């Protein structure tokens, strides 16, 4: 029973980790309607920035989020402005996806060039220490990630519902043409949203860096799992991505123990396929409005 | 059709290249970018040093060696780069590859073109198991590694712990590419042959970000000896998450890759102390058994301004030296002349910088290749097994 509880706890914590990566991904998808394959590399870039800042200035990695999240915002905004936006008028929308795949490979190899393939270790500053909840061991860092993921989801929801900018973002997502007629600068909204999505993963990277060794390829695994979470929760749904991530974290941990570590990915991706077949809109998703395709 | 085109292209460009170049070209095919770039680059440095040493001494058969790099970032690109090296660059042979799966893919291309392929670092069985005519391997294999791990349990660990080897509860975990799978397969097979109690064999993707379930599973089964064949990320993850789950096996034996790297040890700190590792020859070894090792280290430091990051460079250096000197002792650079030259190589054990001899036996595998057993002691990876190569005592038990 203790083992079972421990696995459930591990699964939930893993879910929190996936969630903080998946939230930005689903935000960008939901609004800009671009699947950002470079999202994992944004995470990697953020983790390296965290590593450099926290070792260079000898500060707690969490404090570096104040610089890393804005830096990632700029990276995301530039990606939209310089890479995606020129392609938005392209005849085939899929070109944008290929562009993000290209960006992903470019960033990964840039990191290899700059940092080499060796792992970089962000000092833990105490976040690798354990807390016992009854018989269950959890790292304090994992709890912080989990808490931050919840706050991020609530914060984004409030922003989207309560602020003028948030409403403009949702309006653009719902009907780009109508939003433009209402005087919303849709191009600015896309740049802003892409930046926000990247800033979310920037925040996540400062929290994740002290828990995992950073390497140029760290993003690839995270982003694959984050896709599954996003699809499970419903493409574009922010709370959906969070709950999707928790489900995937649990499935991952439980199947890793009860079915075998060699099959856990098979289980996760079987679920992914089943969702696509049985409920393509996901747990929280609604039908996508692709009005920007023919404005 | 494709084959025919390829062969024609090869023949034509070989002629062109032969006429235009005075030097003799060899291909160096390693993963220089992508996830395996660190050890790919480290492996290449060994080949580069061997070539420079040979060129400085007058080259082979009177010609300077021109090393042409090919980047085997993934299996498809390994194939593409092998084609480029052969048909566009007109190399006489290819040296490579560090990664087993890249080697298997690329050597197939070389075989079809009839160009000799020398594998200096990939350990999977299939590399030589396919009985290719033009493929030769100088380095020890997955089988060597698997057997060595089990022998270490039998010879040192069980006696050190004061128990019968058959009473140990052994768990085998491995990253799930060709490398980890074949090493684990040999550990399981050879362990069973010796009557050892291996309770589980589990694979996982090396890029994984969570091994907590696997750790709990091992803990639940009462495993006290863990054999892990892994890269860097998964070694760090396993050691950290074991400690976090309160899982403390009596011995952890790593297989190559991550466990031999200083960066891994730095990442996990004290958790590395006492961890065992079976791998290619590393640097803290009895140099009477490895003549030339000190010179290699000096040459390495002069060229790259740092210490080698792992033993891969050394083993690739030894392989490349043996093969290139072998070719130098032969006549001509036509494929069959190269094959005849390397088949004549006969270097006994204890006469290379890595300790092992070179002689191609069945399946063109170097039947004198061997690995070493090492242990992290006081933050350094020292050779502890076998005893005639050891520089420190094997530390096990309390």
């Amino acid at each position: 029973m203790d083992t079972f509880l421990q696995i459930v706890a591990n699964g939930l914590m893993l879910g929190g980790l996936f969630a903080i990566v998946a939230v930005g991904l689903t935000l960008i998808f939901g609004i800009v309607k671009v699947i950002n394959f470079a999202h994992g590399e944004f995470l990697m870039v953020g983790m390296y920035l965290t590593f450099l800042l926290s070792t260079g200035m000898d500060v707690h990695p969490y404090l570096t989020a104040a610089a890393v999240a804005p830096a990632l915002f700029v990276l995301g905004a530039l990606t939209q402005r310089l890479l995606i936006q020129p392609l938005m008028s392209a005849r085939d929308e899929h070109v944008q996806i290929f562009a993000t795949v290209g960006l992903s490979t470019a960033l990964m190899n840039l990191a290899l060039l700059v940092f080499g393939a060796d792992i970089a270790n962000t000092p833990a500053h105490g976040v690798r220490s354990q807390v016992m909840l009854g018989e269950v061991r959890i790292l304090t860092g994992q709890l912080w990630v989990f808490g931050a993921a919840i706050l991020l989801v609530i914060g984004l929801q409030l922003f989207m519902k309560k602020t003028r900018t948030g409403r403009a973002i949702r309006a653009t997502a719902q009907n780009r043409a109508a939003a433009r007629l209402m005087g919303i600068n849709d191009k600015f909204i896309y740049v802003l949203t892409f930046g926000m999505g990247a800033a979310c993963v920037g925040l996540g990277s400062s929290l994740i860096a002290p828990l995992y060794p950073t390497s140029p390829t760290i993003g690839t695994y995270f982003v694959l799992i984050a896709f599954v979470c996003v699809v499970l929760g419903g493409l574009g749904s922010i709370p959906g991505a969070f709950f999707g991530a928790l489900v995937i974290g649990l499935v991952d941990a439980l199947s890793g123990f009860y079915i075998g570590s060699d099959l856990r990915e098979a289980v996760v991706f079987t679920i992914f396929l089943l969702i696509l077949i049985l409920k393509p809109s996901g747990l929280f998703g609604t039908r996508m409005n692709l009005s920007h395709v023919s404005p | 059709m494709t084959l025919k085109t390829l062969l024609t292209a090869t023949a034509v460009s070989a002629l062109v290249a032969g006429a235009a170049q005075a030097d003799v070209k060899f291909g160096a095919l390693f993963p220089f970018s992508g996830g395996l770039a660190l050890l790919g680059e480290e492996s290449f440095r060994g080949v580069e040093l061997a070539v420079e040493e040979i060129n400085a001494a007058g080259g082979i058969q009177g010609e300077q060696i021109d090393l042409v790099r090919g980047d085997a970032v993934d299996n498809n690109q390994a194939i593409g780069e092998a084609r480029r090296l052969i048909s566009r660059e007109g190399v006489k042979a290819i040296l490579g590859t560090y990664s087993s799966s890249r080697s298997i893919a690329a050597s197939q291309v070389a075989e079809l073109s009839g160009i000799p392929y020398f594998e200096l670092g990939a350990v999977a069985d299939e590399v030589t198991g396919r009985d290719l005519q033009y493929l030769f391997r100088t380095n020890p294999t997955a089988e060597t590694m698997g057997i060595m791990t089990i022998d270490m349990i039998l010879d040192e660990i069980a006696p050190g712990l004061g128990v019968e080897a058959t009473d140990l509860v052994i768990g085998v975990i491995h990253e799930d590419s060709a490398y980890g799978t074949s090493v684990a397969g040999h550990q399981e097979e050879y362990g069973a042959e010796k009557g050892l109690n291996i309770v589980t064999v589990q694979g996982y993707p090396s890029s994984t970000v969570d091994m907590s379930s696997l750790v709990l599973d091992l803990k639940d089964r009462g495993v006290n000896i863990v054999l892990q064949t892994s890269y860097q990320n998964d070694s760090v993850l396993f050691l950290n998450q074991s400690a976090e789950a309160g899982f403390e096996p009596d011995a952890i034996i790593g297989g190559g890759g991550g466990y031999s790297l200083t960066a891994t040890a730095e990442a996990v700190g004290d958790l590395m102390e006492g961890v065992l590792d079976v791998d290619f020859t590393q640097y803290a070894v009895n140099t009477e058994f490895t003549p030339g090792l000190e010179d290699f280290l000096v040459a390495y430091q002069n060229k790259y301004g740092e210490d080698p990051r792992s033993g891969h460079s050394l083993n690739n250096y030894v392989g490349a030296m043996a093969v290139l000197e072998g070719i130098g002792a032969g006549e001509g650079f036509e494929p069959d002349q190269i094959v005849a030259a390397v088949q004549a190589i006969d270097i006994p054990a204890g006469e290379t910088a890595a300790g092992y001899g070179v002689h191609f036996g069945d399946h063109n595998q170097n039947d004198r290749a061997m690995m070493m057993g090492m242990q992290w002691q006081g933050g350094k990876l020292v050779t502890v097994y076998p005893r005639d190569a050891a520089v420190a005592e094997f530390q096990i038990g309390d």
Side-chain angles (χ1 to χ4, degrees), chain A residues 3 24 40-41 44 46 52 69 71 82 114 134 177 180 203 209 234-235 261 290:
Chain A
T3 310
E41 279 61 46
M44 179 268 294
L52 290 177
L82 302 178
V114 177
R180 278 166 82 172
L203 171 71
L235 283 163
S261 59
L290 293 175

Side-chain angles (χ1 to χ4, degrees), chain A residues 3 6-7 10 14 18 109 112 117-119 121 128 130 137 139 212-213 217 221-222 252-254 256-257 260-262 264-265, chain B residues 33-35 37-38 201-205 207-210 212-214 216-217 220 232-233 236-237 240 243-246 263 267:
Chain A
T3 310
Q6 181 67 56
I7 296 166
N10 289 349
L14 194 58
F18 293 156
N109 281 292
L112 273 166
D118 226 337
I119 50 174
N121 276 291
R128 295 204 72 97
Q130 296 183 354
R137 298 161 187 259
L139 297 181
Y212 291 97
T217 48
Y221 188 86
F222 272 106
D252 196 300
L254 289 167
F257 185 84
S261 59
D262 14 19
R264 57 197 278 180
E265 282 199 344
Chain B
S33 56
L38 173 68
V201 178
Q202 294 203 39
Y204 57 82
S207 60
T208 188
V209 294
D210 181 67
S212 58
S213 296
L214 181 56
L216 285 175
D217 185 36
D220 228 38
Q232 203 171 12
N233 165 60
V236 174
L237 212 51
N240 274 336
E244 282 148 17

Side-chain angles (χ1 to χ4, degrees), chain B residues 82-111:
Chain B
R83 287 201 177 119
R84 180 180 68 83
L85 289 173
I86 293 167
S87 54
R88 189 135 19 109
E89 299 287 348
V91 299
K92 296 300 177 194
I94 295 177
L95 305 158
T97 326
Y98 169 58
S99 151
S100 296
S101 44
R102 314 288 147 80
S103 174
I104 290 164
S107 57
Q108 210 80 35
V109 174
E111 182 79 6

Side-chain angles (χ1 to χ4, degrees), chain A residues 123-184:
Chain A
H125 284 273
V127 303
R128 295 204 72 97
S129 57
Q130 296 183 354
V131 281
M132 299 293 288
L133 302 176
E135 289 299 302
V136 172
R137 298 161 187 259
I138 295 177
L139 297 181
T140 49
Q142 291 177 316
L143 283 176
W144 283 112
V145 169
F146 196 83
I150 293 175
L151 289 179
L152 189 62
V153 169
I154 294 174
L156 277 176
Q157 285 296 92
L158 286 177
F159 175 78
M160 289 295 189
K161 296 257 156 70
K162 303 287 181 196
T163 66
R164 207 177 150 79
T165 318
R167 282 197 290 269
I169 290 176
R170 284 194 298 140
T172 313
Q174 279 165 12
N175 192 322
R176 182 183 174 191
R180 278 166 82 172
L181 289 173
M182 296 302 122
I184 295 170

Side-chain angles (χ1 to χ4, degrees), chain B residues 314-395:
Chain B
L314 172 66
N315 282 273
N316 277 266
Y317 165 80
V318 166
M321 283 299 283
V323 165
L324 293 173
E325 285 184 342
I327 297 173
E331 262 177 53
F333 297 112
E334 289 310 307
D336 290 330
Q337 293 170 321
I338 291 181
V339 167
V342 298
Q343 275 170 343
I345 296 174
D346 185 11
I347 306 172
E351 289 194 11
T352 68
Y356 54 78
V358 180
H359 173 263
F360 294 109
D362 289 347
H363 313 292
N364 294 343
Q365 165 66 34
N366 175 12
D367 54 19
R368 292 180 190 156
M370 61 180 272
M371 291 204 178
M372 303 271 174
M374 286 150 289
Q375 188 168 33
W376 285 95
Q377 297 181 357
K380 291 215 162 6
L381 188 63
V382 293
T383 306
V384 291
Y385 183 86
R387 295 222 165 157
D388 49 358
V391 285
E393 287 287 313
F394 203 103
Q395 290 176 4

